[in-house]
Amino acid sequence: MAARLRSLRRGIYLYFRLLGQEMKSILAYRADFIVLLIAAVLVQLVGLAFIGIIFTRIPNIQGWTFWQVVMMYSLIFITEGVGSLFFEGTWWLSWLIYSGEFDQVMVRPVSPMVQVLASKVGFNGLGNIVTGSLLLVVSLTHVSVNWTPVGLLMVLILLVSGATIRVALNLGTAALSFWIKSPHSNVPMFVHQLGEFGKYPITIYSVGVQAVIVLVIPFAFVSFYPTAYVFDQANWALAGWLTPLVAIYCLVMAATLFRRGMRRYESSGN
Amino acid sequence: MGTVPHMRKYFAIARASFEVVFVYRAGFALNMFGTVLYVVAMFYLWQTIFLGKAGALGAFSWPQMKAYLLVAFLTNSLMTWFDEGDMGRDIRMGRIATDLTRPIDFQAKRFADAIGPLPVELSSALLVGAVVVFAFGGIAAPPDPVHAALFVVSTALATLLKFAIVYCVSMTAFWTTGMVGIRVGRTAIQNLLSGAMIPLAFFPDWLRSVAAVLPFQGLVSTPALTYLGQMDGPTTALMIGVQAVWAVALLFAGRALWRRAIKAVTIHGG
C-alpha cells in the first residue's frame, strides 16, 4: 500500500514536471499563445451572445432559464479547458502508436499514462477555464439557495466529476488506437464533438439522442445533470449523486482500455 | 488569368485538390460530422422554442426557421477545405518558395485549391441536409422560381466571399505562426455576425448595425433571406449587390496584402 502511494505521488510529481517543460516550449512563442487565448475567449463570448439573444425573445426553454443554460455552457467550456490545458496529450496518442514513437514511452521508467497525458499542452484551455469559471460563478449567484460549505463542496465535486468524465472519454477513445492503428484515429474527435449536445437541456432532445448522451457517451453528467442538481436539488438529487459515480466508472474504463491496449502494443518498427 | 491555356492550369490544380479530398476522406467526413451535430442540436433547440411558442417568432414560422437553419448549414459546408492553416503551414515549412517560382498567380492558385472540393462539399451537404429535413418534417420552399434562382446566385457569391475573407485573414500567417488561434477567432466572429447561429433580425439594434456594415452577413444571412423571400425586390437586389461588392473588394484587398507580405517574407530552407 505504502509503495503504491509512493509511486502515485511520484507519478503526479513527474506529470507536472513534464507538463512544465512542455509549457515552457509553448511560452517561447508568446504571440501564438496570446492569439489562442483571445480566440478561446471569443468563442465563449459568441456562445454567450447566442443564448443571450435567444432569451431576449423567449422567457425560458421548456422551463430552463437563461442562467441555467449559461451554467451548462460554462461547465462544457471549463471541462473542455481542463482537457486542453492539462491532458492535451491524449490527442497525441494515436500518432505515437502509429509512428512507433510509443517505443520511447515504453522504455522510460515512468508510467506511460503519465507521459502521454503530459506530452502536450493546449493553452487555449486557459482561456476556456478563466471565462468559463467567471460564467459559472455568475450563474451560481442566480441560484436561490443559501450557500453552505457543503453546498459549495458539492459544486466542486460535480465540476471535478465533469472534467474527469471528459478526460476519461478522451483517454479511453484515444486508447482505441492500440487496436485501430491509423495515424489519426477519428473516434476521439467524434466523441468530443458530441459535447455540442451538452450545451442545452437534454429535455429538448428525442429519446434516442438522450439515451446516447446519458448512457453511452455521458455528456449529460458533465453539464445538464450538475446544473439541474444545483438549481433544483429537491427534484434532481439522484442525478447529482450519480455524477461522481459515473466519473469514477468512466475513469476506470479508460484506464483499463489503456492498459489492455498497451499489452497488445507491438512497435511499428523504425 | 484571361486566356484559355491559363485557365487549364488552374483547372488542373482544382482537380488535384478535388482528388485530395478522397485521400483524406476521414478528415473530410469528420469535419462534416462536426457541422452535422451542430445543426442537429440547433434543430432540436429551435424546435423546442417554436413548439413552446405555438406560432411565429418575429418574421419566422417554424418551417421557415428550419429552412433558414438548413441554408446556414449548406453555406457553412461550402469552401471549408481551404483555411488559414494551409497558408500557415506553407509559410512555416518554406513551401511558399516553390509557389513564388511558379508562373502562376498566387491568389488564383489558392482559389483553384479551395474550389476543387466544392462538388464533394455540395453533394454531401445536400445529402445530409435532406436527411435532417426529412427527420424534422420538411422545410419552407422559396416563394417562387425567381427567388430560388436568386438564392443560387447569392450562394455562389457567398462562397466567393468566404474565400476572399479567409484569404485576407490568412495573410496574417506572414507575421504570426499562431494560425490555429486566428482561424478559431475568425470562425467565432463569422458564425455570429453572418447570421449562421441566429437570424440577424433577432439581434439587438446595436449589434444588427455592426453586422450590417461588415461583410459577414453575405455569407449566410443574405442567401437565407433570399431563399425565404423575406426581403422585398429592391432590398434583395441591393443585398446581393452588397455581397458582390464585398467579394470583389476583399479579393483586391487580398492581392494588396499579398504584395506587402511578400516583401516581409524570409524563406527557411526549402
Side-chain angles (χ1 to χ4, degrees), chain A residues 36-128:
Chain A
L36 257 185
L37 272 189
I38 294 174
V41 173
L42 257 180
V43 171
Q44 293 206 38
L45 287 181
V46 163
L48 188 66
F50 171 64
I51 37 180
I53 294 169
I54 286 187
F55 276 95
T56 61
R57 298 281 158 167
I58 50 162
N60 62 63
I61 298 173
Q62 274 185 357
W64 302 98
T65 63
F66 174 68
W67 289 109
Q68 289 170 330
V69 178
V70 170
M71 183 167 164
M72 292 171 209
Y73 251 75
S74 72
L75 288 173
I76 287 290
F77 278 125
I78 296 171
T79 53
E80 198 160 307
V82 170
S84 310
L85 190 61
F86 299 108
F87 304 103
E88 186 84 353
T90 57
W91 298 99
W92 200 234
L93 184 61
S94 65
W95 173 253
L96 287 179
I97 294 166
Y98 177 78
S99 65
E101 281 177 53
F102 199 74
D103 291 2
Q104 297 173 26
V105 173
M106 298 277 277
V107 296
R108 289 192 197 117
V110 181
S111 149
M113 207 188 293
V114 166
Q115 291 182 62
V116 169
L117 290 177
S119 64
K120 281 272 175 287
V121 176
F123 252 112
N124 47 327
L126 189 62
N128 278 336

Side-chain angles (χ1 to χ4, degrees), chain B residues 219-239:
Chain B
L219 297 176
V220 175
S221 182
T222 306
L225 296 184
T226 305
Y227 175 99
L228 289 171
Q230 283 200 354
M231 303 180 288
D232 59 26
T235 316
T236 309
L238 176 72
M239 291 311 286

Side-chain angles (χ1 to χ4, degrees), chain B residues 139-257:
Chain B
I139 58 170
D144 51 58
V146 177
H147 278 90
L150 286 174
F151 161 68
V152 174
V153 173
S154 182
T155 303
L157 281 172
T159 312
L160 185 66
L161 177 61
K162 194 196 267 182
F163 170 79
I165 292 174
V166 175
Y167 186 82
C168 280
V169 175
S170 69
M171 284 301 147
T172 50
F174 283 96
W175 290 277
T176 172
T177 48
M179 294 319 281
V180 176
I182 300 265
R183 177 174 53 80
V184 172
R186 189 260 307 161
T187 312
I189 293 170
Q190 173 187 312
N191 279 342
L192 184 68
L193 295 179
S194 66
M197 302 177 91
I198 188 164
L200 302 181
F202 293 165
F203 280 19
D205 289 337
W206 67 270
L207 193 60
R208 200 165 50 230
S209 328
V210 172
V213 297
L214 292 173
F216 300 109
Q217 57 171 341
L219 297 176
V220 175
S221 182
T222 306
L225 296 184
T226 305
Y227 175 99
L228 289 171
Q230 283 200 354
M231 303 180 288
D232 59 26
T235 316
T236 309
L238 176 72
M239 291 311 286
I240 292 177
V242 169
Q243 267 187 306
V245 169
W246 268 118
V248 172
L250 288 174
L251 282 175
F252 277 105
R255 298 184 76 81
L257 280 169

Side-chain angles (χ1 to χ4, degrees), chain A residues 29 32 35-36 39 42-43 46 50 53-54 57-58 61-62 186 189-190 193-194 196-197 200 204-206 209, chain B residues 26 30 33-34 37-38 41-42 44-45 48-49 53 176-178 181-182 184-185 188-189 192 197-198 201-203:
Chain A
Y29 295 92
D32 296 10
V35 169
L36 257 185
L42 257 180
V43 171
V46 163
F50 171 64
I53 294 169
I54 286 187
R57 298 281 158 167
I58 50 162
I61 298 173
Q62 274 185 357
N186 295 316
M189 203 57 194
F190 273 96
Q193 284 171 332
L194 280 174
E196 195 60 41
F197 287 122
Y200 309 102
I204 70 171
Y205 302 118
S206 66
V209 176
Chain B
L30 192 65
F33 182 71
L37 280 186
Y38 176 77
M42 285 296 109
Y44 276 116
L45 181 66
T48 312
I49 291 169
K53 279 290 260 200
T176 172
T177 48
I182 300 265
V184 172
I189 293 170
L192 184 68
M197 302 177 91
I198 188 164
F202 293 165
F203 280 19

